[in-house]
Amino acid sequence: MTGYAAYALPIATALVGVWLVWTAVRYVRADKGTRVSMRQAVRVRWGWVRLARMAGLTVTDKTPSLLAQITAQKDSPPPSPRVLTPKIKVKPDQYGVTVQARTLPQVGLEEYQKSARFLSDAWRCTRVSVLPDGPGKVVIRGVRSDPLTTPTRHRPTGRPPADLTRWELGVDEYAAKVCVSLANVPGVTVAGVPGAGKTSGVNKFVCDFAPSPAVQIATVDGKVSRASEGDYADLVKRMFAFCGDDLDEANALFKRLVELRKRRSATIRDVLGVKNMWHVGPSPEWPLTVLIIDEAHTFFREYKGSDTTTKRLAALTAENARLVEDLVKKGRSVGILVILISQKTTGDAIPTFIRDVCPIGLSFAQKTVEAAVAALGEDIRNWPDASPVTLQDPAYVGVAVMAMQGRPGYTRIRTPYVSDADAARVAEETSHLTSDPDLCLNALLRSTSRTTTPLPSLTK
């Protein structure tokens, strides 16, 4: 042992040196925000014992430790009580720090949550949240800068998503990634005033899923007349169908997709061997078919008048509502998803028999509480701090509100911006993956020795 002792100090010095070099390299390579967070993490670690005592996050243990009991003399006074401090691990990132902490008897989740405002002040954070992290653990999230007011950009990788049921929306007010599951989801509603970020958020969805041949997209845009116009002009190459504000063209596309839904419903058991496509997942032969309806109120508007033209338009919009209702209520199990976008999702814009069936609802900035209630439900009145009415400041362009499963109340989400150049690049690189889902079904039925009658094609 004496011989090895001579090597202990050099080895320890070398290990410390390696750790210092590794830390320095991380610090130099980090962005400006992460560097500030790394310094903040050091302050959190060094000041934790003192701060925990001041915040009431310690517990006094009057029972002597085992070592104290063994070494105690018979007539010696009892040892002093021990003050136990929870152990923590600190991880910095661009926005702040994430602290994993242990619980102690009488110092649990509730005590940490009560002390959140003290931790926020001590750590110089904009806000602090405390959530459970498994038995005997909590995770404390402190953000130094507000993620909601920090614009972010998203550059699509061009690679197929690993999970086609996972839609990554952005980050919440604590810079945590927000994802929703698309499995068994028949419809999504997106609301918000003009320029609030609705279409940009949907553009990200298209760019992320475009590299997968198991996703096919059709779009109806009430803001334009031709595919070369508007927000989707750069993405139309990756869409198997597109039409503008022409009610007749939109009606024809809705009919076409309803016929696809009927054919899929009639053949799904024989072809896929299941009643629900999501039990096996989308595939190039049976792709997830997404219908995007932008400015949805254009196609569901109630026309009032007795002249021939008005009556014809009224009949068209009424039929449009019936057809889209069919897709939303019956298309879930066969892999059809409808995304409806409108400034307000009130009953006159999107019929309630369609809107209320869509389980996912997002709302960007709104001007009235009534519009927020239409988009998110009556319960948003009980959460005024999360209401989209508070997002009218230009700093909140691109921020949406939604109800998340497993979380109380509502979550505010910063959706990233995708540039037109990146959108055009992705559409160009993935245009060869565009395929008509009806033709895919024909090929699949032929491969299983079944016959089918193809539907008439719809020119883009």
Side-chain angles (χ1 to χ4, degrees):
M1 294 295 294
T2 304
Y4 289 112
Y7 298 101
L9 182 59
I11 292 175
T13 303
L15 291 175
V16 171
V18 170
W19 178 81
L20 290 174
V21 170
W22 177 71
T23 302
V25 170
R26 283 183 56 213
Y27 185 83
V28 172
R29 296 182 63 183
D31 58 73
K32 183 179 179 180
T34 305
R35 291 179 187 175
V36 177
S37 298
M38 292 174 73
R39 297 195 296 268
Q40 180 185 21
V42 173
R43 293 196 304 270
V44 170
R45 293 189 191 98
W46 287 357
W48 173 245
V49 174
R50 182 183 178 190
L51 177 60
R53 291 181 178 180
M54 291 190 295
L57 296 177
T58 59
V59 63
T60 301
D61 186 1
K62 297 181 180 180
T63 304
S65 65
L66 180 61
L67 180 61
Q69 296 179 38
I70 294 174
T71 58
Q73 300 295 326
K74 183 176 181 181
D75 297 327
S76 61
S80 302
R82 296 175 297 155
V83 178
L84 303 181
T85 304
K87 295 181 179 180
I88 64 170
K89 293 181 180 179
V90 187
K91 182 179 179 181
D93 57 39
Q94 181 182 359
Y95 296 98
V97 292
T98 301
V99 180
Q100 293 178 311
R102 293 279 184 178
T103 60
L104 294 173
Q106 299 183 3
V107 180
L109 175 64
E110 185 177 350
E111 285 68 33
Y112 278 104
Q113 291 175 335
K114 289 180 179 179
S115 301
R117 62 189 182 95
F118 302 116
L119 301 179
S120 178
D121 293 337
W123 294 345
R124 303 172 189 173
C125 290
T126 302
R127 61 175 71 93
V128 165
S129 72
V130 182
L131 296 172
D133 192 35
K137 298 179 183 179
V138 298
V139 58
I140 308 170
R141 176 56 172 162
V143 289
R144 187 187 59 262
S145 57
D146 190 351
L148 297 181
T149 58
T150 305
T152 55
R153 297 176 67 93
H154 173 67
R155 183 174 175 80
T157 63
R159 296 190 297 270
D163 186 357
L164 291 177
T165 67
R166 181 183 173 93
W167 180 9
E168 296 185 0
L169 292 170
V171 297
D172 66 10
E173 53 197 305
Y174 296 100
K177 287 186 177 181
V178 177
C179 304
V180 296
S181 174
L182 295 178
N184 288 299
V185 172
V188 177
T189 60
V190 183
V193 297
K198 303 186 299 296
T199 304
S200 178
V202 176
N203 279 352
K204 179 184 181 298
F205 170 88
V206 175
C207 289
D208 286 347
F209 285 86
S212 173
V215 177
Q216 300 298 336
I217 302 168
T219 299
V220 180
D221 188 359
K223 299 191 299 292
V224 301
S225 299
R226 291 180 294 274
S228 58
E229 303 171 349
D231 299 311
Y232 301 99
D234 296 318
L235 296 170
V236 73
K237 290 184 178 180
R238 186 55 182 89
M239 298 176 181
F240 71 88
F242 181 95
C243 66
D245 57 2
D246 187 286
L247 294 183
D248 291 295
E249 291 185 9
N251 184 263
L253 178 56
F254 296 154
K255 287 180 177 178
R256 172 182 171 187
L257 291 176
V258 167
E259 289 302 315
L260 172 66
R261 195 277 306 164
K262 292 178 179 178
R263 295 181 60 213
R264 282 187 171 187
S265 297
T267 58
I268 186 170
R269 280 177 177 267
D270 295 335
V271 175
L272 299 184
V274 293
K275 295 186 296 183
N276 189 332
M277 183 277 293
W278 292 106
H279 293 167
V280 295
S283 65
E285 295 77 22
W286 192 293
L288 170 63
T289 303
V290 182
L291 171 62
I292 299 172
I293 308 177
D294 205 339
E295 299 295 332
H297 53 273
T298 303
F299 308 100
F300 305 134
R301 174 185 170 187
E302 292 185 8
Y303 288 87
K304 296 181 180 180
S306 57
D307 60 283
T308 304
T309 301
T310 303
K311 287 183 176 180
R312 191 183 74 84
L313 293 176
L316 269 178
T317 55
E319 187 177 24
N320 287 342
R322 179 182 62 79
L323 294 169
V324 174
E325 179 188 15
D326 180 283
L327 294 174
V328 173
K329 290 186 175 180
K330 301 178 182 179
R332 172 186 58 85
S333 61
V334 296
I336 296 178
L337 169 67
V338 181
I339 300 178
L340 299 118
I341 309 169
S342 184
Q343 296 175 20
K344 296 192 301 181
T345 54
T346 50
D348 58 335
I350 300 177
T352 55
F353 53 78
I354 296 175
R355 182 196 68 192
D356 295 344
V357 181
C358 298
I360 298 177
L362 290 91
S363 179
F364 290 81
Q366 296 284 5
K367 287 189 175 182
T368 65
V369 175
E370 289 70 23
V373 169
L376 300 171
E378 191 69 30
D379 191 43
I380 190 62
R381 295 184 189 273
N382 300 323
W383 302 86
D385 292 340
S387 175
V389 177
T390 64
L391 302 178
Q392 297 183 55
D393 190 284
Y396 292 112
V397 172
V399 177
V401 180
M402 73 175 298
M404 294 287 295
Q405 290 184 346
R407 292 192 190 183
Y410 292 82
T411 301
R412 293 183 293 176
I413 307 162
R414 159 62 67 178
T415 60
Y417 171 73
V418 179
S419 69
D420 293 340
D422 284 335
R425 172 180 57 83
V426 170
E428 183 68 33
E429 292 175 353
T430 62
S431 60
H432 65 284
L433 299 176
T434 305
S435 182
D436 188 331
D438 189 63
L439 299 180
C440 294
L441 182 57
N442 289 343
L444 187 59
L445 293 174
R446 284 195 297 269
S447 68
T448 57
S449 301
R450 291 178 60 87
T451 59
T452 181
T453 302
L455 295 175
S457 60
L458 183 67
T459 306
K460 293 180 183 180

